[in-house]
Amino acid sequence: MTPEAAAAGFSAIGSEARLSVLKTLVRAGEPGLNMATIQARTEIAQSTLAHHLKFLVAGGLVLQERRGRETISRASFGQLQALATYILDECCADACDTTSDGEAA
């Protein structure tokens, strides 16, 4: 994952409402949810919900598919995993051993 893609992903979840929508879609799993169900579960107005979904799609965290007259949204689990890996990949790489008195060994 590039730093640009990671920044777009993190930016997409940069509001409580978008985080709520994303968590709702994660809970729904692979089948995803239509707009009415997402709206009912998050209590976000439809026009605002469409705005938040647009950000999540642009950040690569949500995939959408047209089924007849409705749009199904689902979490992009691969992209979410890549985002988590990106931020945690170098976890503790600069940690150093310390002695019991807190000085570096």
Side-chain angles (χ1 to χ4, degrees):
M1 173 172 279
T2 66
E4 294 81 11
F10 285 115
S11 177
I13 55 175
S15 80
E16 288 180 37
R18 289 193 296 271
L19 186 57
S20 174
V21 170
L22 184 60
K23 287 187 71 156
T24 298
L25 292 172
V26 167
R27 283 192 301 269
E30 283 297 325
L33 300 170
N34 65 20
M35 183 77 89
T37 305
I38 299 168
Q39 184 181 10
R41 292 183 184 181
T42 62
E43 299 181 349
I44 297 173
Q46 187 172 1
S47 61
T48 305
L49 178 57
H51 170 77
H52 290 308
L53 282 167
K54 181 179 175 182
F55 269 91
L56 291 166
V57 169
L61 303 179
V62 169
L63 305 171
Q64 292 186 317
E65 172 189 351
R66 292 287 293 172
R67 286 194 195 155
R69 300 179 117 183
E70 66 182 2
T71 300
I72 302 298
S73 298
R74 68 179 49 85
S76 176
F77 292 102
Q79 191 69 3
L80 288 167
Q81 183 64 50
L83 197 58
T85 298
Y86 179 84
I87 200 69
L88 296 173
D89 192 40
E90 296 182 33
C91 176
C92 309
D94 292 338
C96 62
D97 293 321
T98 59
T99 61
S100 60
D101 62 4
E103 294 180 16

